[in-house]
Amino acid sequence: MLEYNSALLQFKSQAEYNTFSNAVKRCRSQKKENSVFSQRTDEASAAQYFQFYGCLSQQQNMMQDFVRTATYHRAIVQNYTDFTDKVVLDVGCGSGILSFFAVQAGARRVYAVEASSMAKYAELLVRSNNLSDKITVLAGKIEEISLPENVDVVISEPMGYMLFNERMLESYLHSKKWLKSNGMMFPTYSDIHLAPFSDEQLYMEHYSRANFWYQEWFYGVNLSSLRSAAVDEYLQQPVVDTFDVRILMAQTVKYTINFIEATEEDLHRVEIPFVFQMMQSGLIHGLAFWFDVAFVGSLVTVWLSTAPTEPLTHWYQVRCLLQTPLFAKEGETLSGKVLLVANKRSLVVCLKPQHHLSLSKSCAETRSGIDPKSITFLILKKIPYGCAPLFKNSAFHVLFVLPLRLMKMAAFGRV
């Protein structure tokens, strides 16, 4: 019930109770089966996801990210005219902190939706702050709950690593079914940035991890036949960390997603073409990714950036390594595309390099066919803010359309 009111039901017999109970279970089961979320998400992965975000420690990690929390507070409070006496929907509210910001900005009513067990803690915070008349916590997924009215503003923090990780952006876009025709979304749009980088140390760290499989006498067993597979596996792991911008070898390419206009289906397959003009000579070891989001209000536009030139956030940046580095000279052009394809693992991001990229000094491009053996998968994992970056599960195949060979660099072979 919306206000969590209680009702006492009395049954004449156990059989009558069983009939009622079974009817409720069937209703819930049917609703779950028909849910957009259930159709797109593996059940086991979803359970792991919500268990992770049901921990107070994880909420603390995010809330203590000063850039994240302070930017959201500034974007909402400084655009108070967009919230004053308005109805607001907070998607994936977690602890409810954004709902409190909306009330501080003058919101008349906030519906705070949270699918994890964190909903009970959000409800406790609402009651202890005497805001039960302003904030209503709804336990459930935005794809499955119902609201008693349409809303003026949708707020959320749906960004994952590389922006798309965890697929919560789709839930954010799904929430627009409750948004009035002239409603607003905070954040409003996002830019994802990518650029080639050179980092010999990072590449060798990952490459050398496979040296264990070089052994020809491990307790009498020859392991060397697995060494090639081990190299592939280690180089498939994207790196979540931060870096010095001087390792970037070209100006970034930007891809924009407007949350007001985009649909959920638009995020099922995202293709990002790129053309880089190399600013320095050297080995290209991979592509680096980060994102910015904009909160476009009536009074001010506020930006939240995860760029390596800005203060560090719990999103860090993400780097994806090439299987084989590619040599480039200053002035040459690197072109290709990155393809992100959604899958049902709501915590896993996968990267598939594919031969289709070119590097040249002129408009002519050197291409070759797709080698099925080149397809690789990378698992992206969530890490606590302030801890050493490690990887978990995610929900995107990132099809890296990357360089094959150079006109004068055939010695480097295939990516």
Side-chain angles (χ1 to χ4, degrees):
M1 314 242 338
L2 279 182
E3 301 294 342
Y4 291 91
N5 292 328
S6 299
L8 179 62
L9 301 179
Q10 291 183 324
F11 300 95
K12 296 180 179 179
S13 64
Q14 182 66 37
E16 190 178 70
Y17 164 76
N18 291 339
T19 300
F20 176 82
S21 178
N22 290 334
V24 171
K25 290 178 181 178
R26 284 195 302 271
C27 181
R28 289 178 175 175
S29 177
Q30 183 178 10
K31 186 175 182 180
K32 182 177 180 180
E33 290 175 359
N34 296 332
S35 164
V36 174
F37 182 90
S38 298
Q39 291 175 12
R40 75 163 189 250
T41 310
D42 176 75
E43 186 175 351
S45 182
Q48 180 187 18
Y49 178 82
F50 292 124
Q51 181 181 21
F52 180 76
Y53 283 105
C55 298
L56 285 170
S57 58
Q58 175 56 21
Q59 296 297 320
Q60 179 179 335
N61 287 330
M62 295 186 293
M63 294 167 72
Q64 287 182 160
D65 182 342
F66 175 78
V67 175
R68 166 195 180 271
T69 306
T71 302
Y72 266 90
H73 184 262
R74 186 168 67 255
I76 293 172
V77 173
Q78 290 187 359
N79 285 296
Y80 62 90
T81 57
D82 299 321
F83 290 85
T84 300
D85 202 34
K86 298 296 175 61
V87 179
V88 178
L89 171 60
D90 183 357
V91 181
C93 71
S95 65
I97 190 66
L98 302 187
S99 297
F100 288 100
F101 293 168
V103 171
Q104 291 171 11
R108 171 170 56 86
R109 166 68 66 179
V110 181
Y111 296 105
V113 178
E114 174 57 39
S116 78
S117 59
M118 188 54 55
K120 63 184 180 184
Y121 295 117
E123 175 66 22
L124 179 59
L125 282 180
V126 169
R127 291 201 307 268
S128 63
N129 282 271
N130 300 315
L131 288 175
S132 296
D133 61 328
K134 296 284 189 179
I135 302 175
T136 299
V137 178
L138 301 176
K141 304 177 183 69
I142 190 62
E143 295 84 356
E144 299 172 6
I145 59 94
S146 294
L147 299 182
E149 58 185 321
N150 287 337
V151 303
D152 301 290
V153 186
V154 177
I155 57 176
S156 183
E157 193 266 78
M159 301 86 72
Y161 293 133
M162 274 178 67
L163 180 64
F164 300 100
N165 188 36
E166 299 179 351
R167 296 187 66 181
M168 190 180 166
L169 280 176
E170 291 170 62
S171 294
Y172 182 47
L173 297 184
H174 185 90
S175 69
K176 290 192 292 185
K177 67 183 182 181
W178 298 110
L179 186 64
K180 295 178 181 178
S181 58
N182 61 340
M184 307 182 72
M185 298 186 75
F186 276 50
T188 314
Y189 66 88
S190 179
D191 295 331
I192 185 167
H193 301 265
L194 55 150
F197 71 88
S198 181
D199 192 335
E200 183 73 21
Q201 181 179 351
L202 177 71
Y203 180 84
M204 291 309 300
E205 283 178 0
H206 282 248
Y207 191 90
S208 62
R209 290 175 185 173
N211 287 345
F212 169 83
W213 299 97
Y214 259 138
Q215 299 182 77
E216 296 182 358
W217 191 261
F218 182 78
Y219 293 91
V221 179
N222 186 343
L223 305 179
S224 60
S225 61
L226 297 182
R227 197 261 175 180
S228 178
V231 169
D232 290 344
E233 181 177 307
Y234 283 119
L235 292 178
Q236 288 164 15
Q237 297 300 312
V239 182
V240 178
D241 67 357
T242 191
F243 53 82
D244 191 313
V245 293
R246 288 176 292 184
I247 72 170
L248 300 180
M249 302 180 70
Q251 292 291 331
T252 65
V253 166
K254 179 179 71 174
Y255 182 85
T256 301
I257 297 178
N258 187 322
F259 299 136
I260 295 289
E261 300 174 354
T263 66
E264 295 171 73
E265 291 73 22
D266 292 336
L267 301 187
H268 292 169
R269 180 184 174 92
V270 178
E271 187 172 312
I272 306 176
F274 58 80
V275 178
F276 297 113
Q277 192 76 21
M278 306 308 296
M279 298 187 302
Q280 56 183 286
S281 300
L283 284 175
I284 301 171
H285 291 102
L287 292 185
F289 299 81
W290 63 89
F291 65 87
D292 306 325
V293 292
F295 303 84
V296 182
S298 299
L299 299 180
V300 296
T301 295
V302 177
W303 283 90
L304 169 58
S305 176
T306 67
T309 54
E310 299 299 321
L312 189 64
T313 72
H314 77 286
W315 288 285
Y316 297 88
Q317 292 90 41
V318 175
R319 287 184 285 172
C320 298
L321 294 165
L322 298 178
Q323 296 294 96
T324 302
L326 182 70
F327 184 78
K329 290 184 178 180
E330 181 180 354
E332 290 184 322
T333 297
L334 180 70
S335 61
K337 64 182 178 181
V338 172
L339 179 63
L340 298 97
V341 182
N343 63 68
K344 284 195 170 186
R345 290 172 291 174
S346 64
L347 273 179
V348 183
V349 168
C350 303
L351 188 74
K352 294 181 178 178
Q354 189 174 333
H355 295 328
H356 181 65
L357 189 146
S358 62
L359 181 58
S360 63
K361 293 182 180 179
S362 64
C363 295
E365 294 188 351
T366 305
R367 297 182 181 273
S368 71
I370 297 173
D371 179 3
K373 295 181 180 179
S374 71
I375 296 177
T376 57
F377 297 86
L378 298 94
I379 307 300
L380 206 58
K381 293 188 178 180
K382 197 76 174 177
I383 59 176
Y385 180 54
C387 297
L390 298 171
F391 278 112
K392 226 178 197 174
N393 299 331
S394 169
F396 265 94
H397 293 306
V398 183
L399 183 44
F400 226 170
V401 181
L402 284 179
L404 282 198
R405 51 174 84 142
L406 272 174
M407 288 185 289
K408 292 190 277 186
M409 296 294 165
F412 282 90
R414 294 176 178 269
V415 175

